[in-house]
Every structure is written in structure tokens, then in C-alpha cells.
Amino acid sequence: MAPRIVTLTTDFGWRDSYVAAMKGVLYSRCPGISVVDLTHDIGPQRIMEAGLFLSGAVPWFPKGTIHLVIVDPGVGGERHPMAAKVDGQYFVGPDNGFLSHLLQRFPLERAVALDNPERHLSVVSDTFHGRDIFAPSAAHLACGGKLEELGTELDVLETLPLKAVAVQDDGSVQGEIVHIDRFGNCISNIGTDHFSEACKAQVGKHKLAVARTYAAVQRGKAVALFGSSGWLEIAVREGSAAEKLGIDCGARVTLRRG
Amino acid sequence: MAPRIVTLTTDFGWRDSYVAAMKGVLYSRCPGISVVDLTHDIGPQRIMEAGLFLSGAVPWFPKGTIHLVIVDPGVGGERHPMAAKVDGQYFVGPDNGFLSHLLQRFPLERAVALDNPERHLSVVSDTFHGRDIFAPSAAHLACGGKLEELGTELDVLETLPLKAVAVQDDGSVQGEIVHIDRFGNCISNIGTDHFSEACKAQVGKHKLAVARTYAAVQRGKAVALFGSSGWLEIAVREGSAAEKLGIDCGARVTLRRG
Amino acid sequence: MAPRIVTLTTDFGWRDSYVAAMKGVLYSRCPGISVVDLTHDIGPQRIMEAGLFLSGAVPWFPKGTIHLVIVDPGVGGERHPMAAKVDGQYFVGPDNGFLSHLLQRFPLERAVALDNPERHLSVVSDTFHGRDIFAPSAAHLACGGKLEELGTELDVLETLPLKAVAVQDDGSVQGEIVHIDRFGNCISNIGTDHFSEACKAQVGKHKLAVARTYAAVQRGKAVALFGSSGWLEIAVREGSAAEKLGIDCGARVTLRRG
């Protein structure tokens, strides 16, 4: 069997040598491996941002893919290194809740603590488990090793509380903006399950009809729509909604019929 | 046959999960594929910038390479998804003129509209054709599929008007700065066909002899030369011409003998 | 034999087509090659920064890896193109001292000048040797070619003077901050060989006990430790030491017992 794909999602950026060192370990421990950069631009130590990122990316990868996810403010502290299988794909990283978004949609199949030192580098630093514990563990899986060879079974993983939407008595739904993308599109936590025909979205003083595509309005005009990952977003056609409407993360969004 | 190379050129940046989702689709639909990042830092929705970028990169790739190019301000609107073959290489993306620069130098061999829904994902969103239409089409080609299986033949592609140089009665050539690179080198639209020995370039009040290399002048001094892609550029040795000479995109450049 | 891995370390950034053109040459000249991005975010023309980056990354790669390193302020001038073998790995780039940090720890096995034009592209520009000389040379090695086929033997390589630490009469060690990473960790040039139990680090007016991990102090507090590459660093747990303590590159650091 050809080695599996290992993807990288980190908050390391590209300027320092941390990502490069991890790639070195992966290629050293599993010759023939395919390493795929997803992002290294997660905000420093922002676990929730990594969780949201993964929920938009992971479902498109094939079964058996290994995702190495290193956003690790607690390195050297009490959080445990772990590996998990969710919906046929593998995740390797600190047990700090980065899987929270995915575990809302997919069941945890299996998880282990990375407590078998035979699968780590021979010397393990206190400050860079990405290179010394997580990369060799991912390489082990990529070259056909089994999850249970990495350590002892875990029953549960850490999860972080996600912002829930509130359904009001009048049927309207209240959520908030949780991500602003490169184009200035403002993405909320209101999912397509709350969509119905002829509903309107309100953010600040702006009331917007919910359309199907950016092209439903003229250039420079604001529009609300359910975006490609299934979340209600506020956009400006060929412009930035965040700038034009003055929206930040945390802004309240209300979806109502009529 | 081993799967072909698929390159990615987008304006998605690395912060959002859009590039990662496209990679997931490519690896899912064509196992063994090689995906190569060219850039994700095209300015948001700047089609011309993508065209210029491609003209500096594509000619160096082997025949059969597939270039997935997603700078798509018109997604969900009237522009058509297309795939094209130009000089033995393939291009997949919106038909919005991103091939304009390359089509000045190389003939279009063949083009199709991506109107065969069997080659798309089973559910196609209105806002992310990169993932739902373009990536599976590129994967189809990478795994040995044919262009004509993607849809019906197109006779012409959209092209955008490129800024032309003007040759004056006195033999001088007028062009403009069309790109400023990371080093502050200011690249014009005047090509090597206008080069002759002992010519001088003028930008603003600066008159510069045309040299062969940055090292022709002392550190910190300005120089004009025909750069590695064949365009007249204004540079400062080990410094930024854009900063030092105060040059922006659009600045007029004149090349004359003398 | 499968083609070897070629890594890329440059100061080209991602916005221009320079990296993409080099990738095109690599894939054209050695089909089946694996190209791995280490970084393109070395500061423009900062050779020492590239050297430090490589010293943190290269030791983790397998023997036989080829590192293409293009930070080349002297392109077209007097510096020579070279290829070298150090500790079983290959380096291709300008002979300008980028190997200085690695050559402190590992002996030079062999080096050649890239003066065999048969291994270059058929037309070589004066401004982009990365594409025209270095990439085809790296591709030659990746496809099984030998170092001596690239040109004539070199006895020595250029090296740059590295900042040395000073050991005082009282046993204290004086060094300086040489790199600030994405998290604001301030990394010095004082190596673990100067570590002893119960020592303290001083930077500016701050005196810090040397700990093993960031988690040794409370969130927001400063700590000194020997980081994952073996250098004394000043950090703030889950924060930026550079910002919080006002530290810049060049700041003096003193390590003393007691």
C-alpha cells in the first residue's frame, strides 16, 4: 500500500523553521509520504479557529487521510497528546478541543493517548511536541501502523463549548459572526437547518433578503446567503462586507421569516 | 500512467479553508495526484494579476500539466466554467479572461464549457465552484480523463484588454509599470523585442541606462534592465525601487535610444 | 530509485511567480520529483536569516535530501553558484554564506562550482539564477545525477561571521537575541552547552529563572528556557515576550548561575 496523505494545520506561520522541522521528521520516518499544507496561518494559539477551519476542510478528504493539527498553547503542561479516528479519518495533535466542531457532526470512532514512547523521537523536548511526538506518530499511521500501537485507549476527548444559536418564541434565530474570511465575507454560526424560503437576515441596522448567490445583487451591494460550508454569511458583491458594513467577529445576526 | 500534476493559483489566501477543501476534493477524486501550490496570494478578485502571474510561471511546466486557476468574482453569475488546452498544458477555471496574457503568446488548442454535471460534485453550491466544479474537473484530467468528457466545445474564450505599449515617431516606446514584486522591482509592459543596445529608460524624472544585471550599479543605486521574464524593469540594487524612486503601478515608462 | 526530495527555502514570497517558475523547472527536468516548501518568507536578501532557519530545519530531513536555497542579493555579480554535500544532504544555491550556521556543526563533505553549462537551462538570464541554474542543478541531483557532474570541485565555501557568545570571568555568559518567532518568543545565540542547574537569564531589567517549559509559569508571565532547537529563549506563556518585555533582535542576554 502506498503511504497515506498527511495534512498539516498549524499556527506556526511560514517564517520560523517549525513547520519545516516537522516535514523533515515526516519524510525521515515514512519515505514516500505525501505531505499537504492546509494552513499555517491559524491565529497564534487559537484552538477554536483551527476547529472551524477543519470543519470546512476535512469532510472533503478521502477516508484514511491523516490530519496533523498543531495549535498547542499548553505544550509541556497538562494537556495530553492524542490521536483519534473520526468518520474514517485520523487526527493527531494535543487533546485540547480542536475537534469540537467536527465532533458535533461525526461520531468519535476511537482515540488513544500518545503514551508509547517507542513511537516518539528518541529525545523529546518540552516545548515542541509537534516535531517530537505528533509528527512521528502521524508518520507511523501514514506508513501503515495502527492507532492502538501509539498508546492506550482514551474514552473521551476534550471539547470546547461552541456558541449555540437561540431560537426565539417568534421563530426567529439569533446567532453571531464567528469568522471573517479573506474577502470580508462575514460567516455566522446559523446553519442551513434554519433556512426557509423568504427569510431575512439582520445584522446591526442592516436587513438583507437571503439570496442564493453573490450575483443576486449589484456590485458593491450587501447580500445574505447560506455559503459553501452551510453557514449563513453576510457578503458584499465584489467587496468586503466586514469593511462596508462595519461588522466584526461577535456581531449578532438574526434570521427571521418575512 | 501516473496521475498528472495539478497546480493551484487562487486569490483565497491561506487563512480560510477554501484551498484545503479543494485539495481534499483533488485527493479524493484522483488518488496519487500531485498537487502543487503556485500561489494563493493573488489580490482578491484581481483577474489581470492572475494572468500576469501565470505568464511568468506556466511556460516552465511540462506538457500535460493541469493548472487550476480560481480568481472568480463572478461565481454564481453569468460567467461560464471552462477548461482549455494551450500549448500542451491544461487550464481549469472560470471563463473570465485569466488566460489573456498567455493567449498573446500561445494559440488556444481547444476549450470546453464545464457543462457535464457528471463531472461535478453531486451537490454544487452557488458560491464555491472551485471546490464543486473546477476541482473535480481538474481531477478528471489528472487521472487520464479527456477534455471533451467535461462538456461541450467552446470556440472562443473571454479575453481582457491588455495595456499596449505605444511606439512614437521618434522611435521611443511608451509603456507603464504593471507589477511591483516583493523586492520592490517595478516591472513594465515593455518587452525585449523593443530592446536595442545603448537605450535608456525614463520613469518620472529618473533616466537610467539599461544594464544586464543588478550588479551593474553600486548598492542602493537604480538600474533599468530586461528581467527574467523578458520585461523592462526598474530596480535598485539590494533595495526597493518602488520605495526609493516613489514608483507605483501605472507609472509611465519611456524607453529610448541615446 | 525514486527521485529524491527537493526542498525550497527562498526570500521570494508567494505573490510573484518566481517560486512557481522554479517549481516548473523542477517538474520539467525530473518527472516524479517531490518538491517541498520550507519557506518563502525569509526577509528579502537576508542571508543570515536563511542560515538560522536551515539550522533548525535541515537536521530533521533524511540523508540524500536536496535543499534548494535561494536568497541571492548578488545575482549576476561576483558570487559563485555552488552545490555542496554536508552531513549526507545536498545544498544548491549561491555561495554567499547561507551554510554558515550548519557548517559550525557539520563538516563540509564536498562542494562544486556550478560551472558546467550543460546542466543549466539552455538560456541563462542575468537576474534569475534560481530558475536558470539552481533549479536544473537540483533536478539533476534529484534524478540520480552526481555532484561532480555539475562542475569543478571547490575547496572552501564562503562563510559569514556569526555572533559569538562571551564567557566572563565570573562564569556568566553574554549573548544576544538573534530571532523573534511568530509567537513573540525571543531566541538567543546561547546554546545548551552553557546550561547548568539553577541558572538565571537577564534581558534588560528582567531576571528570569531558567525553566523546562512554558507551563512552568502562569499565563502572561515571562520565562526563560532552552527551546526546541537548543537555544536559550525568553518567552511569555500564551503571550508575546517581544511585545510584553519590549525585546528586539540584538538585545543583550546574560546567563548566570545563582
Side-chain angles (χ1 to χ4, degrees):
Chain A
M1 195 190 75
R4 293 183 180 131
I5 305 162
V6 174
T7 80
L8 297 179
T9 300
T10 79
D11 64 349
F12 288 149
W14 286 98
R15 284 184 53 241
D16 308 306
S17 58
Y18 306 127
V19 170
M22 288 175 55
K23 290 183 177 176
V25 171
L26 290 167
Y27 285 103
S28 290
R29 306 278 283 211
C30 181
I33 204 172
S34 286
V35 180
V36 180
D37 294 299
L38 297 197
T39 186
H40 304 295
D41 285 358
I42 299 295
Q45 311 187 332
R46 292 200 198 153
I47 299 165
M48 293 287 273
E49 191 176 313
L52 188 65
F53 180 97
L54 292 170
S55 72
V58 162
W60 307 98
F61 277 86
K63 303 291 180 198
T65 300
I66 297 145
H67 302 282
L68 190 45
V69 183
I70 315 294
V71 178
D72 195 9
V75 62
E78 290 169 20
R79 66 97 187 98
H80 294 290
M82 68 93 201
K85 190 174 183 188
V86 178
D87 197 38
Q89 300 189 53
Y90 296 87
F91 298 85
V92 179
D95 181 15
N96 61 17
F98 72 77
L99 282 169
S100 302
H101 296 75
L102 282 168
L103 289 175
Q104 280 197 318
R105 291 166 56 192
F106 304 104
L108 177 63
E109 294 181 36
R110 193 163 195 184
V112 298
L114 302 179
D115 54 12
N116 180 357
E118 287 180 26
R119 304 298 168 205
H120 306 170
L121 296 194
S122 53
V123 177
V124 172
S125 74
D126 292 300
T127 55
F128 193 8
H129 289 178
R131 180 192 67 195
D132 303 337
I133 295 179
F134 299 121
S137 299
H140 178 75
L141 295 175
C143 267
K146 291 185 177 147
L147 206 56
E148 55 264 36
E149 294 161 352
L150 295 174
T152 54
E153 194 112 7
L154 284 172
D155 289 332
V156 288
L157 293 179
E158 288 290 324
T159 50
L160 295 169
L162 302 183
K163 305 246 168 90
V165 299
V167 180
Q168 310 292 323
D169 287 347
D170 64 356
S172 70
V173 181
Q174 287 209 343
E176 65 180 82
I177 298 300
V178 293
H179 182 65
I180 294 178
D181 77 9
R182 190 194 194 199
F183 302 95
N185 300 320
C186 303
I187 293 140
S188 79
N189 61 343
I190 301 178
T192 43
D193 47 326
H194 294 292
F195 173 73
S196 62
E197 294 297 324
C199 54
K200 281 200 170 134
Q202 179 164 4
V203 54
K205 60 181 170 40
H206 306 281
K207 289 187 189 176
L208 302 166
V210 176
R212 289 177 56 93
T213 150
Y214 306 124
V217 295
Q218 289 187 300
R219 276 189 201 183
K221 296 292 180 192
V223 61
L225 50 75
F226 283 87
S228 57
S229 290
W231 304 106
L232 180 69
E233 72 181 65
I234 311 297
V236 161
R237 183 173 174 189
E238 300 183 35
S240 164
E243 271 182 31
K244 186 134 187 174
L245 308 183
I247 305 176
D248 262 334
C249 273
R252 178 179 291 190
V253 183
T254 306
L255 183 72
R256 57 169 59 91
R257 293 186 199 180
Chain B
M1 194 190 74
R4 292 181 181 133
I5 304 163
V6 174
T7 80
L8 297 180
T9 300
T10 79
D11 64 349
F12 288 148
W14 285 98
R15 285 184 53 240
D16 307 307
S17 58
Y18 306 126
V19 170
M22 288 175 55
K23 290 182 178 179
V25 171
L26 290 167
Y27 285 103
S28 290
R29 306 279 282 211
C30 180
I33 203 173
S34 287
V35 180
V36 180
D37 295 299
L38 296 196
T39 188
H40 304 295
D41 286 358
I42 299 295
Q45 311 186 331
R46 291 200 199 153
I47 298 165
M48 293 288 271
E49 191 177 313
L52 188 64
F53 180 96
L54 292 170
S55 72
V58 162
W60 306 99
F61 277 87
K63 302 289 180 200
T65 300
I66 297 145
H67 301 283
L68 189 46
V69 183
I70 315 294
V71 178
D72 195 9
V75 61
E78 291 170 20
R79 66 97 188 99
H80 294 289
M82 68 94 198
K85 190 175 183 188
V86 178
D87 197 37
Q89 300 189 53
Y90 297 87
F91 298 84
V92 179
D95 182 15
N96 61 17
F98 73 78
L99 281 170
S100 301
H101 296 77
L102 282 168
L103 289 175
Q104 279 197 319
R105 292 166 58 192
F106 304 104
L108 177 63
E109 294 180 36
R110 192 163 197 183
V112 298
L114 302 180
D115 54 11
N116 179 356
E118 287 180 27
R119 305 297 169 205
H120 306 170
L121 296 194
S122 53
V123 177
V124 172
S125 74
D126 292 300
T127 56
F128 193 8
H129 289 178
R131 181 192 67 196
D132 303 337
I133 295 179
F134 299 121
S137 299
H140 178 75
L141 296 174
C143 267
K146 291 186 177 146
L147 206 56
E148 55 264 36
E149 293 161 353
L150 295 174
T152 53
E153 195 111 8
L154 283 173
D155 289 331
V156 289
L157 293 178
E158 288 292 323
T159 51
L160 295 169
L162 302 183
K163 305 246 167 91
V165 298
V167 180
Q168 310 292 323
D169 288 346
D170 64 358
S172 70
V173 181
Q174 287 208 344
E176 65 180 81
I177 299 301
V178 293
H179 182 65
I180 294 178
D181 77 8
R182 190 193 193 199
F183 302 95
N185 300 320
C186 303
I187 293 141
S188 79
N189 60 344
I190 301 178
T192 44
D193 47 326
H194 294 291
F195 174 72
S196 62
E197 294 296 325
C199 54
K200 282 200 169 131
Q202 179 164 3
V203 55
K205 61 182 170 40
H206 306 280
K207 290 189 188 175
L208 302 165
V210 176
R212 289 177 57 91
T213 150
Y214 305 125
V217 295
Q218 291 187 299
R219 277 189 200 181
K221 296 292 179 192
V223 62
L225 48 75
F226 283 87
S228 56
S229 290
W231 303 106
L232 180 70
E233 72 181 64
I234 311 297
V236 161
R237 182 174 175 189
E238 300 182 34
S240 165
E243 272 181 32
K244 185 136 189 175
L245 307 183
I247 305 175
D248 263 333
C249 273
R252 178 180 290 191
V253 183
T254 307
L255 183 73
R256 57 168 59 89
R257 292 186 201 180
Chain C
M1 195 190 71
R4 293 183 179 129
I5 305 162
V6 174
T7 80
L8 296 180
T9 300
T10 80
D11 65 348
F12 289 148
W14 285 99
R15 284 185 53 240
D16 307 307
S17 58
Y18 306 127
V19 170
M22 288 176 54
K23 289 182 178 177
V25 171
L26 289 168
Y27 285 102
S28 291
R29 305 279 283 211
C30 181
I33 204 171
S34 287
V35 180
V36 180
D37 295 298
L38 296 197
T39 187
H40 304 296
D41 285 358
I42 298 295
Q45 310 186 334
R46 291 200 198 152
I47 299 166
M48 293 288 272
E49 191 177 314
L52 188 65
F53 180 97
L54 293 170
S55 73
V58 162
W60 306 99
F61 276 86
K63 303 290 179 201
T65 301
I66 297 145
H67 302 283
L68 190 45
V69 183
I70 315 294
V71 178
D72 195 8
V75 62
E78 291 171 19
R79 66 96 188 100
H80 295 290
M82 67 92 200
K85 190 175 182 187
V86 179
D87 197 41
Q89 300 189 52
Y90 297 87
F91 298 85
V92 179
D95 182 15
N96 61 18
F98 73 77
L99 281 169
S100 301
H101 296 77
L102 281 168
L103 289 175
Q104 279 197 320
R105 292 166 58 191
F106 304 104
L108 177 64
E109 293 180 36
R110 194 164 195 181
V112 298
L114 301 179
D115 54 11
N116 180 356
E118 288 179 27
R119 304 297 168 205
H120 306 170
L121 295 193
S122 53
V123 177
V124 172
S125 73
D126 293 300
T127 55
F128 193 8
H129 289 178
R131 181 191 67 196
D132 304 336
I133 295 179
F134 298 120
S137 299
H140 178 74
L141 295 175
C143 267
K146 291 186 176 146
L147 206 56
E148 55 264 34
E149 294 162 352
L150 295 174
T152 54
E153 194 110 8
L154 283 173
D155 290 331
V156 288
L157 293 179
E158 290 291 324
T159 51
L160 296 170
L162 302 184
K163 305 247 167 91
V165 298
V167 180
Q168 309 293 323
D169 288 346
D170 65 356
S172 70
V173 181
Q174 287 208 343
E176 65 179 81
I177 299 301
V178 294
H179 182 65
I180 294 178
D181 78 7
R182 189 193 194 200
F183 301 95
N185 300 319
C186 302
I187 292 140
S188 79
N189 60 344
I190 301 178
T192 44
D193 47 326
H194 294 293
F195 173 73
S196 62
E197 293 297 325
C199 53
K200 283 200 168 134
Q202 180 165 2
V203 56
K205 61 182 170 40
H206 305 281
K207 289 188 188 175
L208 303 166
V210 176
R212 290 177 57 93
T213 150
Y214 305 125
V217 295
Q218 291 187 297
R219 277 189 201 183
K221 296 293 180 192
V223 61
L225 49 76
F226 283 88
S228 57
S229 290
W231 303 105
L232 181 69
E233 71 181 66
I234 312 297
V236 161
R237 184 173 173 188
E238 301 182 33
S240 164
E243 271 182 31
K244 185 135 187 175
L245 308 183
I247 304 175
D248 263 334
C249 273
R252 178 179 291 190
V253 182
T254 307
L255 183 72
R256 56 168 62 89
R257 292 186 200 179

